[in-house]
Amino acid sequence: DAGVIQSPRHEVTEMGQEVTLRCKPISGHNSLFWYRQTMMRGLELLIYFNNNVPIDDSGMPEDRFSAKMPNASFSTLKIQPSEPRDSAVYFCASNSRGETFFGQGTRLTVV
Amino acid sequence: KQEVTQIPAALSVPEGENLVLNCSFTDSAIYNLQWFRQDPGKGLTSLLLIQSSQREQTSGRLNASLDKSSGRSTLYIAASQPGDSATYLCAVRPRSNDYKLSFGAGTTVTVRA
């Protein structure tokens, strides 16, 4: 398996624009997570899905953030409108009753 | 609420020395504990997973121990190499039906050649 695949790897956008981050979890994994990492706050869990259903979205910072998982092999994290304080590395991870595996992340810069 | 602490925050050692990284957690009722490595600008790479019923796990030069009752795990890296320089994070999972991980802030290791 190629592991957890995220796209794009880097994204630079202007404040106010919509940003969509994409994730393909490891095949057969039934849990998917979106994390955000910054120097100030470290790793923060934004939301996680189990069997495509959102289980805990308490980490989603504001209504500007939304996440979907339309099927077992794809998830998106959308920020609309984006703000400079959203600049961070966003990680997707997946798990199936054992180890959690992370993607390489999307480095988002909002200018 | 589970709190995970990693001390020290940074560590610098000469090549060849053994590394000892500490992780402590406040709630001993965990399902498993996982150690990760993160290189600058990269994602997290899983190193070792220890189930709550296990005392230790080994992979090559890496050995992780778990003492649930005292809320501690230790990652040992034998005969360190410059390529071991990275940030090491531990994460605990609370229950079998709860997949959320609680992460420590990490220990940044520098191995000097």
Side-chain angles (χ1 to χ4, degrees):
Chain A
D1 200 310
V4 177
I5 300 173
Q6 292 186 245
S7 64
R9 291 294 310 278
H10 302 273
E11 177 81 35
V12 180
T13 191
E14 291 185 350
M15 182 174 63
Q17 296 298 307
E18 177 180 296
V19 175
T20 299
L21 311 182
R22 296 172 174 79
C23 175
K24 177 177 169 26
I26 292 173
S27 177
H29 282 195
N30 54 7
S31 293
L32 182 141
F33 310 81
W34 283 100
Y35 285 88
R36 179 171 68 178
Q37 187 177 41
T38 60
M39 289 292 291
M40 292 294 292
R41 296 184 177 179
L43 268 170
E44 302 175 277
L45 177 64
L46 301 177
I47 185 171
Y48 89 94
F49 296 84
N50 198 36
N51 294 321
N52 311 339
V53 176
I55 302 299
D56 185 343
D57 65 355
S58 59
M60 296 285 262
E62 300 169 38
D63 290 346
R64 298 184 297 106
F65 286 69
S66 62
K68 293 182 179 179
M69 191 164 186
N71 57 62
S73 59
F74 184 67
S75 177
T76 59
L77 178 67
K78 187 176 294 186
I79 309 172
Q80 165 64 17
S82 58
E83 297 183 2
R85 59 194 168 115
D86 301 331
S87 298
V89 181
Y90 291 81
F91 289 106
C92 177
S94 70
N95 178 301
S96 179
R97 297 192 170 280
E99 286 180 83
T100 300
F101 294 90
F102 279 72
Q104 288 298 297
T106 295
R107 181 173 296 277
L108 173 66
T109 303
V110 183
V111 298
Chain B
K1 182 191 172 195
Q2 178 74 271
E3 293 195 3
V4 182
T5 304
Q6 292 186 248
I7 295 174
L11 187 59
S12 179
V13 300
E15 182 177 5
E17 194 166 298
N18 295 333
L19 284 164
V20 180
L21 308 180
N22 298 303
C23 172
S24 62
F25 43 96
T26 53
D27 186 349
S28 62
I30 66 169
Y31 179 68
N32 64 33
L33 183 146
Q34 196 167 349
W35 281 94
F36 294 89
R37 167 186 172 138
Q38 186 175 28
D39 293 284
K42 303 289 187 182
L44 280 69
T45 300
S46 178
L47 295 175
L48 290 168
L49 174 74
I50 312 178
Q51 300 294 349
S52 62
S53 58
Q54 296 176 315
R55 297 283 294 183
E56 66 176 352
Q57 275 284 5
T58 298
S59 175
R61 293 185 296 112
L62 276 59
N63 173 279
S65 66
L66 175 64
D67 184 343
K68 253 183 49 172
S69 60
S70 65
R72 292 181 185 174
S73 177
T74 303
L75 178 66
Y76 301 90
I77 304 177
S80 62
Q81 304 167 359
D84 295 328
S85 298
T87 297
Y88 293 83
L89 299 101
C90 69
V92 297
R93 181 173 151 192
R95 293 173 293 279
S96 61
N97 61 350
D98 187 346
Y99 295 89
K100 286 174 63 172
L101 296 179
S102 296
F103 277 88
T107 296
T108 299
V109 171
T110 302
V111 181
R112 308 186 303 272

